[in-house]
């Protein structure tokens, strides 16, 4: 017969799993009034709508509405995803930056295709984007970095992104030195820093609905122009 201690040990993981499931089921989704979206009024091209939705998310109080997920894949097709900041969105595409030697930099070199995702819970909206990615030249990449904050420059100067870190003390020492250099040299070069531009081939705009009648408008770039279509939720 099992001892009381062993029974407690067996029950504990089950109890933790039950508590976690109850937590998930108790979380509310879109427990607020959501904006409406009429796809018939959407522009012929997706960029103006993207800019409008990001601005409206900011006005609704969404923190850091320019954060996005970036999905890439390595040479074998294994995917990875991470969160980073959007630097710009224009007629060329959606801009972001990283070190060429980081995981995402290496994966984009092997497979120059990616997907982006934006989610703004306060307004029940998400945008999904996928397409091809190109690297900007060194001059444009440097200009992109030096337009950003001193903290962004300091982080770039630390370098070694995605490499194995020996200790937090090592990071603290490198970070202190990078911050000091960023203050001393606001135009300090970071040769590995690269600006990437994703040229969209497909963009989906999703407007959530409390009754689950979500509106999904999809743009596809075909034959030199954008086609629009509605998708089932």
């Amino acid at each position: 017969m099992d001892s009381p201690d062993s029974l407690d040990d067996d029950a504990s993981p089950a109890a933790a799993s039950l508590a976690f499931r109850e937590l998930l089921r108790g979380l509310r989704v879109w427990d607020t009034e959501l904006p409406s979206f009429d796809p018939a009024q959407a522009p012929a091209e997706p960029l103006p709508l993207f800019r409008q939705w990001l601005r409206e998310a900011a006005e609704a109080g969404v923190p850091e509405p320019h954060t996005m997920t970036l999905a890439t894949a390595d040479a074998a097709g294994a995917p990875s995803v991470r969160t980073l900041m959007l630097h710009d969105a224009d007629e060329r595409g959606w801009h972001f930056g990283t070190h060429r030697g980081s995981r995402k930099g290496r994966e984009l070199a092997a497979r120059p295709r990616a997907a982006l995702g934006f989610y703004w819970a306060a307004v029940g909206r998400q945008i999904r984007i996928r397409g091809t990615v190109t690297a900007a030249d060194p001059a444009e990449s440097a200009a992109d970095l030096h337009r950003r904050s001193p903290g962004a420059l300091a982080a770039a100067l630390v370098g070694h992104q995605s490499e194995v870190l020996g200790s937090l003390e090592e990071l603290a020492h490198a970070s202190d030195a990078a911050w000091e250099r960023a203050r001393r040299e606001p135009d300090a070069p970071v040769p590995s820093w690269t600006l990437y531009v994703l040229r969209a081939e497909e963009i989906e705009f999703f407007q959530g609905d409390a009754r689950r009648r979500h509106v999904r408008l999809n743009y596809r770039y075909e034959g030199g122009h954008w086609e629009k279509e509605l998708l089932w939720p």
Side-chain angles (χ1 to χ4, degrees):
M1 178 179 295
D2 292 332
S3 68
D5 288 343
S6 65
L7 289 175
D8 288 344
D9 290 343
D10 291 340
S12 181
S17 294
L18 176 61
F20 185 70
R21 287 194 297 271
E22 290 177 346
L23 169 66
L24 291 177
R25 291 168 184 163
L27 296 174
R28 302 300 299 270
V29 178
W30 298 327
D31 191 17
T32 184
E33 184 176 350
L34 298 177
S36 61
F37 172 51
D38 181 3
Q41 301 300 316
E45 297 188 355
L47 180 60
L49 185 57
F50 173 84
R51 288 173 168 173
Q52 175 188 335
W53 275 28
L54 193 147
R55 182 174 59 254
E56 290 174 354
E59 292 170 349
V62 174
E64 300 180 354
H66 59 319
T67 57
M68 61 186 186
T69 55
L70 167 68
T72 56
D74 63 17
S80 59
V81 65
R82 74 287 288 164
T83 301
L84 69 168
M85 298 291 183
L86 176 71
H87 292 190
D88 198 1
D90 58 18
E91 289 71 18
R92 292 169 56 197
W94 278 252
H95 301 218
F96 60 92
T98 190
H99 292 280
R100 286 193 305 274
S102 67
R103 172 179 287 186
K104 51 188 173 293
R106 297 193 306 270
E107 290 179 348
L108 288 170
R111 288 176 176 255
R113 293 184 58 79
L116 304 175
F118 295 82
Y119 177 56
W120 304 305
V123 289
R125 286 175 172 174
Q126 62 175 304
I127 300 176
R128 301 193 304 162
I129 308 171
R130 65 177 180 176
T132 57
V133 180
T134 57
D137 62 38
E140 187 177 8
S141 296
D144 169 75
L145 176 59
H146 294 118
R147 278 194 300 266
R148 302 183 70 208
S149 67
L153 175 58
L157 286 167
V158 170
H160 305 292
Q161 192 175 48
S162 302
E163 297 177 16
V164 175
L165 173 66
S167 68
L168 292 179
E169 290 76 15
E170 184 180 354
L171 172 60
H173 178 75
S175 178
D176 289 345
W179 272 95
E180 175 58 30
R181 186 179 179 194
R183 285 190 288 264
R184 189 176 65 252
E185 300 178 53
D187 294 324
V190 185
S192 64
W193 183 262
T194 303
L195 176 69
Y196 293 91
V197 181
L198 184 148
R199 184 174 182 82
E201 299 167 358
E202 187 171 9
I203 304 181
E204 180 193 324
F205 293 82
F206 173 103
Q207 173 62 69
D209 178 84
R211 298 186 64 183
R212 303 303 192 266
R213 295 184 297 203
H214 313 309
V215 178
R216 297 175 63 190
L217 175 64
N218 196 53
Y219 288 80
R220 288 180 294 105
Y221 193 75
E222 293 184 353
H225 64 278
W226 289 99
E227 297 280 355
K228 293 189 293 183
E229 59 195 1
L230 292 174
L231 304 177
W232 282 87

